[in-house]
């Protein structure tokens, strides 16, 4: 059960966040809350500003205005400080460190954690979640399949022991069967480890099936939000993001 219905303060709160790339206003005063234990999705078309939103949260692009709070405290602006504060990301395109092994990639993810024993325990946890990574721990990340790289990107982000895990298009370029495998794992990470997640996806159907609540981002603006199950049945959402009504 998430805190969304219980009136508690959000774990992550994005308030009036704007991002400009020169004259382009990529994000316009976006507001969004993620409560403890929730999976929240942001859906939107190509270029809607989803990656911009994620990168602004983790400090990879400068914020023009607005604030981001984690447990009521302002999230720092620099990316390494954001990770240390408790927000880590599996980025768009995965961005694993290709010349490093699976094992070394996971170690890199744990940079804010000084206790070696803790790092070892975390790594075991990741290998239990993704047995394919354990089998390939000495393999160079650049030689992994797309699906395995995605698992590694998620594992690397989890190695920082985040309070909130951000996922930017984990389904991108993957075969449907691999997408299902990864989404099943994400459900488990949420329900069994209690991990709070914010996911952005072009694959709106998958994202709405996975998440508890969702926001719709349209050319830099949040235009709609609600319970994911209800959004899945919403005719407007169906027409714009789910490829129209499914033929029986
Ligand atoms: N570094 C940049 N410089 C200039 N414009 C940018 C930059 N990055 C993104 N943009 C523009 O900002 C807008 C939002 O881009 P963004 O990558 O956030 O979209 P997105 O929703 O993640 O798209 P996609 O689904 O294709 O990943 C687009 O119009 C894009 O061209
Ligand atoms: Mg993107």
């Amino acid at each position: 059960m998430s805190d969304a219905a219980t009136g508690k303060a959000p774990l992550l709160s994005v308030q009036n966040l704007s991002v400009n790339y020169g004259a382009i206003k990529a994000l316009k005063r976006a507001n969004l809350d993620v409560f403890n234990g929730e999976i929240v999705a942001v859906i939107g078309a190509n270029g809607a500003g989803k990656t911009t939103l994620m990168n602004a949260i983790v400090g990879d692009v400068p914020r023009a205005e607005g604030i981001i709070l984690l447990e009521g405290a302002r999230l720092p602006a620099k990316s390494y400080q954001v990770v240390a504060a408790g927000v880590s990301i599996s980025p768009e395109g995965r961005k694993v460190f290709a010349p490093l092994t699976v094992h070394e990639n996971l170690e890199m993810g744990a940079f804010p954690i000084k206790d070696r024993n803790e790092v070892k325990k975390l790594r075991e946890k990741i290998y239990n979640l993704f047995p394919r990574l354990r089998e390939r721990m000495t393999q160079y990340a650049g030689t992994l399949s797309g699906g395995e790289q995605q698992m590694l990107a998620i594992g690397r982000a989890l190695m920082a022991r985040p309070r909130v895990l951000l996922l930017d298009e984990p389904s991108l370029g993957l075969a449907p069967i691999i997408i299902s495998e990864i989404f099943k794992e994400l459900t488990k990470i949420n329900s069994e480890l209690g991990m709070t997640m914010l996911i952005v996806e072009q694959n709106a159907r998958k994202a709405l099936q996975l998440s508890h609540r969702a926001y719709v981002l349209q050319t830099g603006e949040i235009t709609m939000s609600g319970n994911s199950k209800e959004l899945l049945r919403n005719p407007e959402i169906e027409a714009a993001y789910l490829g129209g009504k499914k033929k029986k």
Side-chain angles (χ1 to χ4, degrees), residues 50-51 92 168-169:
K50 304 182 298 298
T51 297
E92 185 178 65
D168 192 346
E169 305 253 12

Side-chain angles (χ1 to χ4, degrees), residues 22-41:
I24 298 171
K25 295 191 187 314
L27 205 60
K28 300 165 205 163
R29 300 177 71 85
N31 288 284
L32 166 162
D33 286 330
V34 184
F35 292 87
N36 193 28
E38 267 191 319
I39 302 180
V40 170

Side-chain angles (χ1 to χ4, degrees), residues 50-151:
K50 304 182 298 298
T51 297
T52 298
L53 168 68
M54 297 299 238
N55 287 348
I57 294 174
V58 297
D60 273 350
V61 299
R63 308 161 189 158
E65 66 173 324
I67 57 169
I68 301 164
L69 302 175
L70 181 71
E71 285 191 303
R74 277 179 96 125
L75 205 60
K78 293 203 168 62
S79 54
Y80 67 91
Q81 295 170 329
V82 172
V83 180
V87 180
S88 62
I89 185 167
S90 164
E92 185 178 65
R94 332 213 220 273
K95 299 191 172 63
V96 295
F97 304 115
L100 300 185
T101 63
V102 166
H103 188 88
E104 289 163 343
N105 267 270
L106 292 180
E107 293 274 307
M108 298 285 279
F111 76 87
I113 298 165
K114 301 297 166 234
D115 180 346
R116 292 301 308 163
N117 251 339
E118 180 62 24
V119 173
K120 228 167 127 181
K121 269 195 233 160
L122 280 164
R123 214 172 40 221
E124 268 311 298
K125 217 167 170 179
I126 304 303
Y127 286 147
N128 289 339
L129 283 169
F130 298 109
R132 285 201 209 197
L133 294 182
R134 187 193 297 281
E135 289 163 19
R136 292 164 175 79
M137 60 167 87
T138 58
Q139 192 173 324
Y140 290 113
T143 65
L144 296 172
S145 73
E148 291 157 2
Q149 289 194 13
Q150 186 58 59
M151 292 172 197

Side-chain angles (χ1 to χ4, degrees), residues 205 232-233 238 243-248:
R205 188 179 299 279
L232 265 171
R233 291 193 299 261
E238 215 163 70
K245 229 180 165 57
K246 255 193 159 174
K247 291 191 185 83
K248 293 255 164 74

